[in-house]
Amino acid sequence: MERSKKPAAIPVSPTIPTPQVSISQDNSRITASLPTGESVEVLLHGATVISWKAADGRENLFLSSKAALDGSKAVRGGIPLIFPVFGPPPSSHPTTGLPQHGFTRNSKWEYLGKSSSESGSLPSSSGDASVKLDFGLSNEMLESIPSEWKNYAFGITYSVVLNREELETSLAIRNTGDKTWEFQTLFHTYLAIDDISKIKIHGLESSPYIDKVGGAKNSSPSESPISIASETDRVYSPPSAGQAITVVESNRPKYELTRDELGDVVVWNPWLDKAKGMSDFGPEDGWKRMLCVEAGSVSRWNSLEGGDTWEGGQRITLL
Ligand code: BG6
C-alpha cells in the first residue's frame, strides 16, 4: 500500500576526497598523497624527501639505487637537508669537527603532524588541495655533536608542502638558547632528468660563481644558459634572489625553482668518475639522469641571536 506521508530522504552530502597521509609500520617514513594522485615520501632520517611523484606516477627526484635508507648514512638522492655548514667545515670555527654538510641530514627527525589544504609558507599559485607535513629537530634530540655546536641550543621546523604541480620545502630555524651562533643551510635537491647532455639551466647567466672543480676559483658570469658536459660543482650567487631558475631538457622547460631568503644556488653533477667513486651511487650511469640544483644560503654565514628565528624556503614547480 502506498503511504501518503513517506519519510523524506535524508540528504547525503557528497564525500569530498581529501589528501591522505600514512606512517610506515616501522615508523621510518611518512607518505602523503593528493586525491589527484600526486605523492611525496619523507624519511624521518634526515627528514629527507625521497620521492615526489606527479599525478601520472612520474618521479621528479633522483634516488640512488644504492642509497642507504636505514639511517646508517645520509641519503644519496631526494632532498637531503644541509645545516649548519655546507661542504667541509672550515678550520677554527664552531662547526670544525662536524661532518661534511653538517648533521641534519644524518639525524632522526620527529614527525610533528599534517595539515591539509594549506597554501604553504610561500604564496601558492595552484590554489588546489594540498597537504603540509611538519618535522622537528632540536639539540636535545641529537645523540652527539662533536664540536662547539654542542653548546648551542636550536629548534628547527621543516615543512614539506605538496601541491598539484609544486613541492615547497621551508625551514624555520630558531636559536632557543642565549648564545649567538652562525649557520649555513641548503636544500640538496637531486632532480630527476632523462639525459644530462640535453639539459640547459636558465636564470644563472648573470651570476658570478665559485667553481669548486679543481679548487675554489671565482668565475665570471657565463652570459648563456648553463649546460653540463663534465663534472660540475659550482656555487652561484645570483644578484637577484627573486630570479627563478628554470631547468630545460631537450628545449622543453621541465622544472622551475623559486627561492625565499636563499641567496645561493649550487649546481652539481659528479659525472662518471666521481659517481664511480661513491659507494652509495647507483646505477653506474645514474649520473646521466640526475642534476642537483640546490637552493641555499652558503656563501656567507647567517648569524642568529638567542630567541631569533630565521625562515627560508624553496618551491619547485613542474612545467
Ligand atoms: C654538493 C657539493 O652540494 O654536494 C659537492 O657542492 C659535494 O662538493 C656534493 O661533492 C655531494 O656531497 P656528499 O657529502 O653528499 O657526497
Side-chain angles (χ1 to χ4, degrees), residues 18 30 37 40-41 54-55 59 87 91 96-97 101 107 148 150 167 187 194 219 230 249 277 285 319:
T18 51
I30 315 293
V40 68
E41 195 170 0
E59 180 57 72
S91 53
T96 308
H101 293 336
S107 302
E148 246 178 278
K150 61 179 172 295
L167 186 74
F187 298 102
D194 294 322
S219 301
S230 58
E249 180 157 24
D285 65 350
L319 301 174

Side-chain angles (χ1 to χ4, degrees), residues 239-270:
S240 157
Q243 172 72 58
I245 316 294
T246 310
V247 175
V248 174
E249 180 157 24
S250 303
N251 297 319
R252 278 196 305 275
K254 196 172 171 88
Y255 302 109
E256 182 185 75
L257 174 73
T258 48
R259 297 164 289 132
D260 183 20
E261 294 298 322
L262 299 170
D264 305 308
V265 179
V266 177
V267 175
W268 181 63
N269 182 287

Side-chain angles (χ1 to χ4, degrees), residues 221-244:
S222 62
E223 305 300 344
S224 50
I226 301 160
S227 40
I228 316 273
S230 58
E231 182 194 349
T232 303
D233 191 358
R234 298 175 178 182
V235 182
Y236 286 86
S237 299
S240 157
Q243 172 72 58

Side-chain angles (χ1 to χ4, degrees), residues 83-85 87-89 93-103 144-150:
F83 173 90
V85 61
H93 188 266
T95 55
T96 308
L98 291 182
Q100 151 131 320
H101 293 336
F103 50 74
S144 64
I145 309 181
S147 80
E148 246 178 278
W149 257 82
K150 61 179 172 295

Side-chain angles (χ1 to χ4, degrees), residues 43 45 67-73:
L43 200 66
H45 183 74
L69 301 178
D70 59 358
S72 58
K73 64 193 289 191

Side-chain angles (χ1 to χ4, degrees), residues 74-77 80 82 86-88 99-101 105 186-188 190 212 231-235 266-270 274 278 280 292 294:
V75 177
R76 176 72 59 206
I82 307 304
F86 169 71
Q100 151 131 320
H101 293 336
R105 65 175 179 165
L186 170 133
F187 298 102
H188 201 307
Y190 288 74
K212 290 168 73 181
E231 182 194 349
T232 303
D233 191 358
R234 298 175 178 182
V235 182
V266 177
V267 175
W268 181 63
N269 182 287
K274 266 266 167 70
M278 289 187 272
D280 60 352
C292 283
E294 313 163 22

Side-chain angles (χ1 to χ4, degrees), residues 143-196:
E143 279 155 23
S144 64
I145 309 181
S147 80
E148 246 178 278
W149 257 82
K150 61 179 172 295
N151 301 317
Y152 298 151
F154 66 88
I156 306 178
T157 305
Y158 177 43
S159 302
V160 175
V161 181
L162 174 69
N163 289 307
R164 286 205 56 194
E165 307 281 319
E166 296 168 352
L167 186 74
E168 293 176 27
T169 57
S170 58
L171 288 165
I173 300 173
R174 280 184 311 286
N175 182 341
T176 53
D178 42 27
K179 287 193 186 106
T180 300
W181 39 259
E182 293 183 323
F183 71 95
Q184 298 173 332
T185 189
L186 170 133
F187 298 102
H188 201 307
T189 309
Y190 288 74
L191 294 171
I193 53 167
D194 294 322
D195 183 350
I196 191 77

